Amino acid sequence: MAQNQINPTRIELRKCKTRLKSATAGHKLLKDKLDEMVRQFLTLARKAQQMRQEVESELLSIFKSFALARAIVGSQEIESALYMPTMSVAVQTATKSIMGVTVPIIKTKLPEQKASLPYALASAPPELDQAIFKFYDFVQKLIKLGESEKICALLAEEMEKTRRRVNALEYIMIPELKNSIQYIQMKLDENERAALVRLMKVKEKLEKED
């Protein structure tokens, strides 16, 4: 707030001090929240990174098995063998709150036993069998990775919003309020000194008249 727009009164001084107290308390709460969010984000991000490395490694192994199978029997035979899937995945979604941020929770349910292969065993190479069974175990990890990375993205977005609020309070609002308080206090002191001078002059004038 520009100083020439401030009404230098005791009421305005009291309002500014009240706002400064609230802003300082809010800054501390937001700073504490940001610190805790950063701590939780780093923990989740490390887990997500480790999970991604595992998923990428397993996916590479699956691709290699598919590539070997394709090299043995050809792409058309592989596509024909996998044309009719025999396994389905049930997915349930929910939400939970982390530091006030609503994040998704994804639960998957696979058949208790691995599904039968969608082709006759004699019609495909064993590399294809390995790829399918690996993919069966891989599905849940892939979905869990998506959930983990989405949580990290939402937390990062909220952290940035909170950081902007903290900076706005710390570098804009709180300094402006302190400057306003200082300006009002200075004006009030000047007014008191001016009033005292006027009073002394009136007193001096009255004494001379007597």
Side-chain angles (χ1 to χ4, degrees), residues 58 61-62 64-65 114 129-139:
E58 290 188 25
S61 175
I62 292 172
K64 285 181 178 179
S65 295
K114 293 183 180 179
D129 304 345
Q130 294 174 6
I132 290 176
F133 287 133
K134 285 179 182 178
F135 194 76
Y136 179 94
D137 296 325
F138 174 77
V139 168

Side-chain angles (χ1 to χ4, degrees), residues 80-98:
S80 298
L82 302 178
Y83 185 74
M84 293 294 293
T86 59
M87 183 186 75
S88 61
V89 180
V91 178
Q92 293 180 337
T93 60
T95 59
K96 70 176 182 178
S97 178
I98 299 179

Side-chain angles (χ1 to χ4, degrees), residues 202-210:
V202 171
K203 184 179 178 182
E204 183 181 352
K205 184 178 179 180
L206 292 174
E207 287 177 350
K208 286 181 179 180
E209 290 178 355
D210 290 342

Side-chain angles (χ1 to χ4, degrees), residues 59-74 78 82 119 125 127-135:
L59 187 60
L60 181 61
S61 175
I62 292 172
F63 282 162
K64 285 181 178 179
S65 295
F66 275 117
L68 284 173
R70 187 182 298 110
I72 294 172
V73 299
I78 296 295
L82 302 178
Y119 51 82
E127 287 79 8
L128 183 58
D129 304 345
Q130 294 174 6
I132 290 176
F133 287 133
K134 285 179 182 178
F135 194 76

Side-chain angles (χ1 to χ4, degrees), residues 14 81 125 176 201:
R14 195 157 46 245
E176 284 184 353
K201 286 184 178 180

